[in-house]
Amino acid sequence: MSIVNKLTQRFGDHRIKQIDNPFHPEQKLALLFLELEVPVTVIMTTELHKYNMPVLDNWKGRENNELYFCLPSHWDFEDYENPNYAWVYSWLYKLESFVKEKNTWFGPGHTIPTAKPEVAISNLMTQEYFIFLEPILLERELAPISIGNDTVYFLAVVPIFGDELDYKMGKGTIKFRRRFIQRKNTEKLDEYRKSFMTSRMKFF
């Protein structure tokens, strides 16, 4: 059974739509329309879990993942001409291609720059890095799914700022995630989000 069928069982036909990546039609994606306190749209990969990531020994059992962005209700995910919205498609393709081509793996807390040297994601999203996090806002909705003998986990792709990356590298993923949540942040994209770092917080 496919991941889309499993998600359909979980959410219903009316809440899921399969699409081809508009810029890379060989990549299959899914849209989830979730009615939370505030509605969100999730755009996720659907074929990545078929690649068994070569994880470290302490991550055995976490070889199969799908990546997602959580979009706010105002996000026009069908405006493919607007770079402030369309970048999510390009990045889902880049990330899925990268992990397969490099025969590597992504797990919670892993980070990746937008480029070398780093550039802002878009005119509105000025972060220059991404971090992979286990679901926060969608912890219940995107609990792991079993397909055959595999357990498929969902990793949120979350934009972060350079000073937040420094904090994560210095303090570790657990403290990063705790601070991120304490500042009322989730994986839902927010063009107005500021860095959670302040002068009194930096490292100490």
Side-chain angles (χ1 to χ4, degrees), residues 19-30:
I19 65 170
D20 295 336
N21 188 316
F23 305 115
H24 304 277
E26 67 272 24
Q27 184 188 40
K28 308 305 177 184
L29 303 174

Side-chain angles (χ1 to χ4, degrees), residues 51 53-56 58-59 62 65 99 103-108 110:
Y51 165 67
M53 296 185 181
V55 301
L56 301 177
N58 58 324
W59 287 96
R62 295 289 301 260
N65 296 277
V99 73
N103 192 31
T104 187
W105 68 291
F106 292 145
H110 286 187

Side-chain angles (χ1 to χ4, degrees), residues 45-179:
T45 59
T46 61
E47 302 288 330
L48 181 58
H49 73 278
K50 297 177 182 178
Y51 165 67
N52 291 308
M53 296 185 181
V55 301
L56 301 177
D57 288 343
N58 58 324
W59 287 96
K60 291 295 185 184
R62 295 289 301 260
E63 295 89 350
N64 308 101
N65 296 277
E66 297 292 354
L67 306 177
Y68 73 92
F69 286 110
C70 181
L71 312 180
S73 57
H74 67 269
W75 195 280
D76 189 351
F77 57 85
E78 294 183 320
D79 187 354
Y80 307 136
E81 302 299 320
N82 188 336
N84 289 316
Y85 295 130
W87 62 263
V88 294
Y89 297 103
S90 299
W91 271 103
L92 283 177
Y93 179 78
K94 288 179 184 178
L95 293 171
E96 181 171 357
S97 299
F98 176 86
V99 73
K100 292 177 179 178
E101 291 171 0
K102 299 298 183 180
N103 192 31
T104 187
W105 68 291
F106 292 145
H110 286 187
T111 58
I112 192 168
T114 55
K116 292 184 179 180
E118 297 83 351
V119 296
I121 296 169
S122 72
N123 289 335
L124 295 180
M125 302 289 290
T126 58
Q127 295 93 325
E128 298 175 331
Y129 302 88
F130 292 105
I131 189 170
F132 301 99
L133 295 177
E134 294 182 295
I136 302 171
L137 178 67
L138 302 178
E139 181 179 10
R140 181 177 63 86
E141 288 78 6
L142 292 182
I145 284 179
S146 295
I147 298 181
N149 296 322
D150 298 326
T151 301
V152 180
Y153 292 81
F154 299 96
L155 284 176
V157 187
V158 180
I160 61 172
F161 296 96
D163 57 355
E164 293 175 323
L165 175 70
D166 291 341
Y167 183 90
K168 183 267 174 185
M169 299 301 290
K171 293 293 190 178
T173 300
I174 293 175
K175 289 187 176 180
F176 173 92
R177 180 183 170 92
R178 184 183 303 135
R179 175 64 66 180

